[in-house]
Structures are given as structure tokens and as C-alpha cells.
Amino acid sequence: MKKTIAFLFSVFFATSLFAKDVSIGFVLVGPSNDGGWSMRHHQGFHSLTKHGYKVEGVESVPEADSERVFKKLARKHDIVFGTSFGFMESMERAAEKNKKTVFLHATGYKGNGKNFDNYVCHSFQARYLTGIAAGMMTKTNKIGVVGSHPIPEIIRNINALTLGAQTVNPDIEVEIVWINSWFDPPKDMDAAKVLAEQGNDILFTTTDSPSVVTLAEKLDGVWSMGNDAPMGQFGPNRYITGMMFNWNVLYKEIVDQLAAGKLKMNQRWNWGLQQNCVGLSPWGKNVPGNVVNHVETVKMDWINDKMDTWYPFSQGVTKQDGSEIKAGVMKRPELETMQFFVKGVKSPFPNK
């Protein structure tokens, strides 16, 4: 009898937690029209509506207010997504208080094995490829990066582009100007100007606006890389390519599992180039063909399993201070907590 009751309870819980008619809530850290990170998440979630899912989002939510927003959405939806690293702690608390709602957190590493899990699309893979292009196209051997926040994801992206550039140009130097914001176009533009004035002729950004693309279009001899989304329209003549997210493919996989009653926690989704969760944005019209061909060849080698998921870090790296990490050591846990720059990054590691 006890086994029967336990079985019925488990069926009831699974039915209530994994509803067939799935309703989705999501929280963005920036505006849905930022041109980058939040826009791509917004597009990914709303692509689910064509598959019959109901979607509701809240944008420009400060991290300090996110727990309240998560709890509010949890009262109306079967699953709630948080799309900023800084939402991790507040989502963990919201999941503990709302056990019948599934919570999924982007770019973090926490979960509870019950109703709270995390996911990531490996932006560092595409960043590595853009680094190769930057290394081939620079004339000054100097690459400038507008830094958002020095969280592990951003650190590993900067390291990845540096390592990519070094495969074709060992003299590369990378400089960073931090603005400590995800979305602040004026600060983004000011930082990009400083980097250009310092002789960096390839400009990257890790923020959510296309400011570096806009600036490079106006400067002689400076090229730009997009971030998170296609940005070539903001500076078509001096645009190379950029890391681009395709969140729609991952969101559909997760929500389809939930709708089918097959979603399990602790999956810790980590998709990349092979799953088309990240890729390269369309190449700029003035990028030399040999650059395009070389980078696309490396990309296809990765997709065809010639490099592993954690490449290039899995091959071993030399840190900024000259110490070495051997091949085979760095995998997901080490990338999730990365707190160092590789050799070639000239800016000091930021103090917290």
C-alpha cells in the first residue's frame, strides 16, 4: 500500500512539475532591443511561440531585484529562465521557495538536482575562431577588448580569442578596458575610443551594444568584431565577423523535454558549435577570402570532432605570469571558475 501511495505521489508530482501545456517565463538583465545578449535571448524565447508554447518575459531586471521577479513568474509559469550570471544566487533561493516550478540559469554552475539547473552555449569556441581572424587581419599586432564584467565566462572568452590569434600571429598583444556594465553604450564607446587611440586596430566588445562596430566604421585602419548577435549592419565596411548565439535551438530542446514529461535536472546543458548554439555571424563584405577560408576550415574541423569540447584550453595554456597548465587539466569546472589571463593579454587581471 505504501508503495502504491508513493507511486501515485510521484506521478502527481511529475505531472504538476512537468506540465504538458508548458508556459514559459524568462528574465533579461538588459533591454530586449540591446542589439546583443538580451536581444538574442528574447528572440530565442519568442521563437517558441511558433511551436505552441506560451511565453512571458521581463526585461532590464537589476540583479538585486531578480529574486522578486523570479518568484512572481513562478506563480504563473511551469519553467522560468534567468539569463545573467548575476542572477544565480537569487534564482537558487527562488527555486527553493517554489518547488513545483522548474528554474534554469544561464552561464552559471549551480543546481539542486530537483527543480534548478544551469545551461550554457560555449561562446569561447566561437571567440577562438574570431581570434584567428583578428590575428590574420591586424597590422599593429594589437587587439583591444571592451570588457563588461570580469566573470569567468568573459575571462575565458578573452583568453580564447587571444589563443586563437596566437595560432596565426605569435606577436599578438591584447588590451582590455573594463566598463563594469553589461549595457552602457556611452561607456562602451568611450572605452573603444581609448583602445583605438592606443593602437589597437581590431576592436572586440564583451558588452551588449554594437558601439565598437559603429566606431570602427568611422576610423581608418580599424576593424571590429560583433558580440552575441549579427552586428555587421552597424558598420558594414569595417566589420569582420563575431561570436553569435542561437539560443532558440537549446530553448526548444529544453522545453520540448519538459512538455514530454522527460526533463531531468542536473543535465547542465553545455552546447557549442556542434549543436549550432553558437556560431559566427555573417562575414563582413571586405574581409579577405583567405581569412574567411582559414577560419571556416578550423570551424568545420571542430564541428567534425577534430577538436574536443574544451579546446583550446584542453591543450594546456601558459598563464600571464608565465606559469603553465598542462594538457588535459582544463575542462568544464576549471573554465567555470577561470580567474587568470593567458600569456599575450597585457592588461592586468582585474581586482574584485
Side-chain angles (χ1 to χ4, degrees):
M1 183 63 179
K2 287 183 179 179
K3 290 183 178 180
T4 302
I5 293 173
F7 173 75
L8 290 174
F9 175 80
S10 66
V11 171
F12 170 79
F13 181 76
T15 303
S16 61
L17 185 58
F18 305 127
K20 193 170 185 179
D21 296 324
V22 175
S23 178
I24 302 147
F26 66 91
V27 181
L28 305 177
V29 70
S32 61
N33 63 348
D34 65 359
W37 173 265
S38 290
M39 182 187 77
R40 290 302 278 181
H41 281 287
H42 184 267
Q43 292 170 342
F45 288 120
H46 280 276
S47 72
L48 299 173
T49 60
K50 66 184 179 183
H51 301 290
Y53 295 116
K54 297 176 182 178
V55 176
E56 178 190 8
V58 184
E59 59 188 89
S60 299
V61 175
E63 293 170 353
D65 192 38
S66 59
E67 183 176 352
R68 179 190 64 83
V69 178
F70 290 141
K71 290 178 178 178
K72 182 178 179 180
L73 289 173
R75 292 194 290 269
K76 299 187 289 181
H77 300 289
D78 303 295
I79 186 168
V80 176
F81 291 84
T83 63
S84 177
F85 182 84
F87 290 163
M88 182 167 60
E89 306 294 341
S90 58
M91 178 167 269
E92 181 180 39
R93 292 191 296 270
E96 182 63 28
K97 298 291 185 181
N98 297 270
K99 292 181 168 51
K100 291 187 178 181
T101 301
V102 178
F103 291 85
L104 270 293
H105 177 244
T107 74
Y109 50 85
K110 286 193 172 184
N112 62 13
K114 300 174 183 177
N115 69 324
F116 176 39
D117 207 347
N118 59 76
Y119 64 98
V120 66
C121 285
H122 290 314
S123 52
F124 73 87
Q125 295 180 348
R127 289 288 194 187
Y128 176 82
L129 298 175
T130 62
I132 296 173
M136 295 179 73
M137 293 192 65
T138 178
K139 302 298 184 185
T140 65
N141 295 332
K142 297 183 70 175
I143 297 171
V145 181
V146 178
S148 49
H149 291 281
I151 65 170
E153 181 185 22
I154 302 303
I155 298 301
R156 64 179 176 262
N157 280 344
I158 293 171
N159 285 338
L161 73 88
T162 304
L163 294 171
Q166 289 171 345
T167 65
V168 293
N169 189 336
D171 297 324
I172 284 294
E173 295 182 355
V174 176
E175 294 183 283
I176 307 151
V177 174
W178 296 96
I179 68 170
N180 296 306
S181 174
W182 294 119
F183 185 71
D184 192 330
K187 280 188 177 181
D188 201 346
M189 183 66 78
D190 288 344
K193 288 178 181 177
V194 169
L195 290 165
E197 289 168 357
Q198 292 173 344
N200 296 284
D201 63 348
I202 311 288
L203 299 180
F204 283 78
T205 185
T206 64
T207 76
D208 303 337
S209 85
S211 295
V212 300
V213 182
T214 302
L215 178 65
E217 184 75 0
K218 302 174 183 178
L219 300 176
D220 291 332
V222 177
W223 293 86
S224 68
M225 293 284 186
N227 184 45
D228 297 341
M231 291 184 173
Q233 70 270 28
F234 297 101
N237 294 301
R238 306 298 298 177
Y239 185 75
I240 302 176
T241 181
M243 183 275 293
M244 179 179 73
F245 285 113
N246 300 308
W247 293 107
N248 56 305
V249 295
L250 179 55
Y251 286 147
K252 187 174 185 300
E253 171 69 17
I254 293 171
V255 175
D256 280 350
Q257 285 187 23
L258 180 59
K262 298 179 180 179
L263 185 67
K264 297 179 180 179
M265 295 294 97
N266 204 32
Q267 292 196 56
R268 305 187 70 220
W269 290 268
N270 58 109
W271 285 16
L273 289 169
Q274 288 187 325
Q275 297 85 4
N276 194 35
C277 201
V278 294
L280 296 176
S281 63
W283 289 93
K285 62 182 181 181
N286 293 323
V287 180
N290 67 309
V291 175
V292 176
N293 291 338
H294 181 68
V295 175
E296 289 291 336
T297 297
V298 177
K299 183 181 78 172
M300 290 310 301
D301 284 345
W302 210 329
I303 290 173
N304 291 325
D305 280 329
K306 291 187 178 180
M307 288 98 92
D308 64 79
T309 300
W310 315 114
Y311 188 93
F313 301 106
S314 59
Q315 306 306 297
V317 298
T318 301
K319 291 185 179 182
Q320 191 180 55
D321 63 8
S323 61
E324 296 185 357
I325 298 177
K326 295 181 180 180
V329 172
M330 298 195 70
K331 296 181 180 179
R332 182 170 180 173
E334 290 74 28
L335 267 63
E336 287 179 337
T337 57
M338 186 174 286
Q339 290 293 304
F340 65 86
F341 283 142
V342 297
K343 183 180 179 181
V345 179
K346 296 303 178 182
S347 298
F349 194 84
N351 293 319
K352 289 189 175 180

PDB file of all heavy atoms in Angstrom, residues 272-290:
ATOM      1  N   GLY A 272      27.573  23.847 -28.007  1.00  0.00           N
ATOM      2  CA  GLY A 272      28.528  24.719 -28.666  1.00  0.00           C
ATOM      3  C   GLY A 272      28.365  24.728 -30.167  1.00  0.00           C
ATOM      4  O   GLY A 272      27.246  24.682 -30.694  1.00  0.00           O
ATOM      5  N   LEU A 273      29.491  24.755 -30.873  1.00  0.00           N
ATOM      6  CA  LEU A 273      29.472  24.818 -32.330  1.00  0.00           C
ATOM      7  C   LEU A 273      28.769  23.611 -32.940  1.00  0.00           C
ATOM      8  O   LEU A 273      28.033  23.740 -33.923  1.00  0.00           O
ATOM      9  CB  LEU A 273      30.911  24.883 -32.863  1.00  0.00           C
ATOM     10  CG  LEU A 273      31.684  26.187 -32.640  1.00  0.00           C
ATOM     11  CD1 LEU A 273      33.159  25.976 -32.978  1.00  0.00           C
ATOM     12  CD2 LEU A 273      31.102  27.312 -33.486  1.00  0.00           C
ATOM     13  N   GLN A 274      28.998  22.438 -32.378  1.00  0.00           N
ATOM     14  CA  GLN A 274      28.424  21.227 -32.964  1.00  0.00           C
ATOM     15  C   GLN A 274      26.898  21.232 -32.946  1.00  0.00           C
ATOM     16  O   GLN A 274      26.258  20.700 -33.845  1.00  0.00           O
ATOM     17  CB  GLN A 274      28.948  19.988 -32.241  1.00  0.00           C
ATOM     18  CG  GLN A 274      30.400  19.685 -32.537  1.00  0.00           C
ATOM     19  CD  GLN A 274      30.828  18.356 -31.945  1.00  0.00           C
ATOM     20  OE1 GLN A 274      30.369  17.959 -30.869  1.00  0.00           O
ATOM     21  NE2 GLN A 274      31.722  17.662 -32.624  1.00  0.00           N
ATOM     22  N   GLN A 275      26.324  21.832 -31.917  1.00  0.00           N
ATOM     23  CA  GLN A 275      24.861  21.893 -31.808  1.00  0.00           C
ATOM     24  C   GLN A 275      24.288  23.185 -32.388  1.00  0.00           C
ATOM     25  O   GLN A 275      23.086  23.418 -32.304  1.00  0.00           O
ATOM     26  CB  GLN A 275      24.438  21.767 -30.341  1.00  0.00           C
ATOM     27  CG  GLN A 275      24.808  20.451 -29.687  1.00  0.00           C
ATOM     28  CD  GLN A 275      26.231  20.425 -29.135  1.00  0.00           C
ATOM     29  OE1 GLN A 275      26.939  21.433 -29.180  1.00  0.00           O
ATOM     30  NE2 GLN A 275      26.658  19.289 -28.622  1.00  0.00           N
ATOM     31  N   ASN A 276      25.149  24.035 -32.941  1.00  0.00           N
ATOM     32  CA  ASN A 276      24.750  25.325 -33.519  1.00  0.00           C
ATOM     33  C   ASN A 276      24.156  26.271 -32.479  1.00  0.00           C
ATOM     34  O   ASN A 276      23.367  27.158 -32.802  1.00  0.00           O
ATOM     35  CB  ASN A 276      23.752  25.136 -34.674  1.00  0.00           C
ATOM     36  CG  ASN A 276      23.584  26.404 -35.505  1.00  0.00           C
ATOM     37  OD1 ASN A 276      24.544  27.143 -35.694  1.00  0.00           O
ATOM     38  ND2 ASN A 276      22.382  26.652 -35.982  1.00  0.00           N
ATOM     39  N   CYS A 277      24.540  26.091 -31.224  1.00  0.00           N
ATOM     40  CA  CYS A 277      24.098  27.019 -30.184  1.00  0.00           C
ATOM     41  C   CYS A 277      24.922  28.308 -30.242  1.00  0.00           C
ATOM     42  O   CYS A 277      24.461  29.371 -29.840  1.00  0.00           O
ATOM     43  CB  CYS A 277      24.233  26.369 -28.811  1.00  0.00           C
ATOM     44  SG  CYS A 277      23.202  27.128 -27.537  1.00  0.00           S
ATOM     45  N   VAL A 278      26.156  28.187 -30.731  1.00  0.00           N
ATOM     46  CA  VAL A 278      26.975  29.353 -31.045  1.00  0.00           C
ATOM     47  C   VAL A 278      27.503  29.191 -32.459  1.00  0.00           C
ATOM     48  O   VAL A 278      27.553  28.085 -32.998  1.00  0.00           O
ATOM     49  CB  VAL A 278      28.169  29.538 -30.071  1.00  0.00           C
ATOM     50  CG1 VAL A 278      27.701  29.867 -28.682  1.00  0.00           C
ATOM     51  CG2 VAL A 278      29.074  28.314 -30.070  1.00  0.00           C
ATOM     52  N   GLY A 279      27.903  30.295 -33.035  1.00  0.00           N
ATOM     53  CA  GLY A 279      28.460  30.268 -34.373  1.00  0.00           C
ATOM     54  C   GLY A 279      29.098  31.603 -34.679  1.00  0.00           C
ATOM     55  O   GLY A 279      29.310  32.432 -33.788  1.00  0.00           O
ATOM     56  N   LEU A 280      29.399  31.804 -35.939  1.00  0.00           N
ATOM     57  CA  LEU A 280      29.951  33.069 -36.399  1.00  0.00           C
ATOM     58  C   LEU A 280      28.869  33.854 -37.125  1.00  0.00           C
ATOM     59  O   LEU A 280      28.114  33.291 -37.923  1.00  0.00           O
ATOM     60  CB  LEU A 280      31.135  32.830 -37.341  1.00  0.00           C
ATOM     61  CG  LEU A 280      32.368  32.152 -36.744  1.00  0.00           C
ATOM     62  CD1 LEU A 280      33.404  31.911 -37.840  1.00  0.00           C
ATOM     63  CD2 LEU A 280      32.962  32.982 -35.612  1.00  0.00           C
ATOM     64  N   SER A 281      28.803  35.138 -36.855  1.00  0.00           N
ATOM     65  CA  SER A 281      27.869  35.987 -37.594  1.00  0.00           C
ATOM     66  C   SER A 281      28.373  36.145 -39.026  1.00  0.00           C
ATOM     67  O   SER A 281      29.552  35.884 -39.308  1.00  0.00           O
ATOM     68  CB  SER A 281      27.725  37.339 -36.905  1.00  0.00           C
ATOM     69  OG  SER A 281      28.957  38.034 -36.884  1.00  0.00           O
ATOM     70  N   PRO A 282      27.521  36.558 -39.950  1.00  0.00           N
ATOM     71  CA  PRO A 282      27.940  36.691 -41.358  1.00  0.00           C
ATOM     72  C   PRO A 282      29.200  37.537 -41.514  1.00  0.00           C
ATOM     73  O   PRO A 282      29.360  38.569 -40.872  1.00  0.00           O
ATOM     74  CB  PRO A 282      26.724  37.360 -42.002  1.00  0.00           C
ATOM     75  CG  PRO A 282      25.563  36.914 -41.180  1.00  0.00           C
ATOM     76  CD  PRO A 282      26.079  36.864 -39.771  1.00  0.00           C
ATOM     77  N   TRP A 283      30.065  37.083 -42.382  1.00  0.00           N
ATOM     78  CA  TRP A 283      31.328  37.779 -42.621  1.00  0.00           C
ATOM     79  C   TRP A 283      31.105  39.142 -43.259  1.00  0.00           C
ATOM     80  O   TRP A 283      30.211  39.308 -44.093  1.00  0.00           O
ATOM     81  CB  TRP A 283      32.229  36.933 -43.518  1.00  0.00           C
ATOM     82  CG  TRP A 283      32.772  35.715 -42.838  1.00  0.00           C
ATOM     83  CD1 TRP A 283      32.221  34.459 -42.848  1.00  0.00           C
ATOM     84  CD2 TRP A 283      33.955  35.632 -42.045  1.00  0.00           C
ATOM     85  NE1 TRP A 283      32.987  33.597 -42.109  1.00  0.00           N
ATOM     86  CE2 TRP A 283      34.067  34.276 -41.606  1.00  0.00           C
ATOM     87  CE3 TRP A 283      34.930  36.548 -41.669  1.00  0.00           C
ATOM     88  CZ2 TRP A 283      35.117  33.844 -40.797  1.00  0.00           C
ATOM     89  CZ3 TRP A 283      35.989  36.119 -40.871  1.00  0.00           C
ATOM     90  CH2 TRP A 283      36.069  34.775 -40.438  1.00  0.00           C
ATOM     91  N   GLY A 284      31.945  40.093 -42.876  1.00  0.00           N
ATOM     92  CA  GLY A 284      31.890  41.408 -43.487  1.00  0.00           C
ATOM     93  C   GLY A 284      32.305  41.352 -44.955  1.00  0.00           C
ATOM     94  O   GLY A 284      33.096  40.503 -45.359  1.00  0.00           O
ATOM     95  N   LYS A 285      31.776  42.257 -45.733  1.00  0.00           N
ATOM     96  CA  LYS A 285      31.970  42.213 -47.185  1.00  0.00           C
ATOM     97  C   LYS A 285      33.407  42.498 -47.610  1.00  0.00           C
ATOM     98  O   LYS A 285      33.799  42.156 -48.732  1.00  0.00           O
ATOM     99  CB  LYS A 285      31.025  43.201 -47.866  1.00  0.00           C
ATOM    100  CG  LYS A 285      31.244  44.659 -47.495  1.00  0.00           C
ATOM    101  CD  LYS A 285      30.224  45.553 -48.184  1.00  0.00           C
ATOM    102  CE  LYS A 285      30.437  47.034 -47.842  1.00  0.00           C
ATOM    103  NZ  LYS A 285      29.434  47.897 -48.506  1.00  0.00           N
ATOM    104  N   ASN A 286      34.199  43.118 -46.753  1.00  0.00           N
ATOM    105  CA  ASN A 286      35.571  43.468 -47.123  1.00  0.00           C
ATOM    106  C   ASN A 286      36.631  42.590 -46.475  1.00  0.00           C
ATOM    107  O   ASN A 286      37.823  42.913 -46.535  1.00  0.00           O
ATOM    108  CB  ASN A 286      35.838  44.940 -46.768  1.00  0.00           C
ATOM    109  CG  ASN A 286      35.017  45.894 -47.622  1.00  0.00           C
ATOM    110  OD1 ASN A 286      34.809  45.651 -48.811  1.00  0.00           O
ATOM    111  ND2 ASN A 286      34.530  46.965 -47.016  1.00  0.00           N
ATOM    112  N   VAL A 287      36.220  41.501 -45.885  1.00  0.00           N
ATOM    113  CA  VAL A 287      37.169  40.570 -45.270  1.00  0.00           C
ATOM    114  C   VAL A 287      37.823  39.733 -46.366  1.00  0.00           C
ATOM    115  O   VAL A 287      37.128  39.146 -47.203  1.00  0.00           O
ATOM    116  CB  VAL A 287      36.471  39.656 -44.255  1.00  0.00           C
ATOM    117  CG1 VAL A 287      37.459  38.687 -43.621  1.00  0.00           C
ATOM    118  CG2 VAL A 287      35.785  40.488 -43.178  1.00  0.00           C
ATOM    119  N   PRO A 288      39.147  39.652 -46.392  1.00  0.00           N
ATOM    120  CA  PRO A 288      39.835  38.863 -47.424  1.00  0.00           C
ATOM    121  C   PRO A 288      39.400  37.402 -47.435  1.00  0.00           C
ATOM    122  O   PRO A 288      39.153  36.804 -46.386  1.00  0.00           O
ATOM    123  CB  PRO A 288      41.315  39.000 -47.045  1.00  0.00           C
ATOM    124  CG  PRO A 288      41.397  40.279 -46.276  1.00  0.00           C
ATOM    125  CD  PRO A 288      40.099  40.360 -45.511  1.00  0.00           C
ATOM    126  N   GLY A 289      39.347  36.840 -48.614  1.00  0.00           N
ATOM    127  CA  GLY A 289      38.894  35.464 -48.758  1.00  0.00           C
ATOM    128  C   GLY A 289      39.754  34.450 -48.033  1.00  0.00           C
ATOM    129  O   GLY A 289      39.241  33.443 -47.524  1.00  0.00           O
ATOM    130  N   ASN A 290      41.075  34.693 -47.960  1.00  0.00           N
ATOM    131  CA  ASN A 290      41.943  33.725 -47.281  1.00  0.00           C
ATOM    132  C   ASN A 290      41.653  33.665 -45.782  1.00  0.00           C
ATOM    133  O   ASN A 290      41.803  32.610 -45.150  1.00  0.00           O
ATOM    134  CB  ASN A 290      43.413  34.060 -47.529  1.00  0.00           C
ATOM    135  CG  ASN A 290      43.846  35.363 -46.870  1.00  0.00           C
ATOM    136  OD1 ASN A 290      43.201  36.396 -47.041  1.00  0.00           O
ATOM    137  ND2 ASN A 290      44.945  35.326 -46.128  1.00  0.00           N
TER     138      ASN A 290
END
